[in-house]
Amino acid sequence: QVHLVESGGGSVQAGGSLRLSCAASGYTYARNSMGWFRQAPGKQREGVAATYIGGRADYYVDSVKGRFTISLDNAKNTVYLQMNSLKPEDTAMYYCAASPGWVSRPLEGTAYNDWGQGTQVTVSS
């Protein structure tokens, strides 16, 4: 059974940093695509960053390029999202998602089969 657990959310002031973690278990981690998504109240879910672990290709939505970085710790089966220079508009619930193999649209939620429970990020001005 696939299991994803996010952690690391919190409240920070604009300009601050947070690192989100997604611990994965229950499947062959090394050949998966994993993504970070966010959803703010009243807004649609948005793909933020994604990576194909098998080929180590990374993808970012334009609004976070240069500020967010997705990374891996293969020994811990964990994917991280380092978020720097946070802005109030980054406030949202952040979710980790996973899917077997490579996905053609890594920043689209429909590409993923499994989701974590989410971790809240709040950025104040």
Side-chain angles (χ1 to χ4, degrees), residues 54-78:
R56 200 63 184 95
D58 298 337
Y59 309 88
Y60 298 94
V61 68
D62 287 346
S63 61
V64 308
K65 286 179 180 176
R67 300 190 298 123
F68 291 11
T69 303
I70 191 168
S71 63
L72 309 172
D73 184 334
N74 292 332
K76 296 181 178 179
N77 281 8
T78 298

Side-chain angles (χ1 to χ4, degrees), residues 35-57:
W36 284 99
F37 292 78
R38 64 186 179 188
Q39 188 165 21
K43 294 188 177 181
Q44 289 189 333
R45 182 178 60 194
E46 176 185 41
V48 176
T51 187
Y52 173 51
I53 298 173
R56 200 63 184 95

Side-chain angles (χ1 to χ4, degrees), residues 8-20 38 48 63-64 66-69 81-92 94 120-125:
S11 297
V12 297
Q13 290 191 329
S17 298
L18 285 173
R19 188 178 78 160
L20 306 183
R38 64 186 179 188
V48 176
S63 61
V64 308
R67 300 190 298 123
F68 291 11
T69 303
L81 184 68
Q82 178 67 43
M83 304 186 296
N84 298 328
S85 302
L86 283 162
K87 304 175 180 180
E89 52 263 42
D90 294 319
T91 295
Y94 282 71
Q120 178 67 38
V121 171
T122 303
V123 184
S124 58
S125 58

Side-chain angles (χ1 to χ4, degrees), residues 1-4 6 22 24-28 31-37 45 50-51 95-117:
Q1 182 177 356
V2 176
H3 194 49
L4 302 173
E6 303 99 330
C22 174
S25 62
Y27 58 90
T28 306
R31 294 195 294 270
N32 281 274
S33 294
M34 298 193 73
W36 284 99
F37 292 78
R45 182 178 60 194
T51 187
Y95 299 89
C96 174
S99 186
W102 176 81
V103 296
S104 60
R105 297 180 178 180
L107 294 179
E108 292 190 9
T110 52
Y112 296 86
N113 299 333
D114 301 292
W115 294 79
Q117 82 289 348

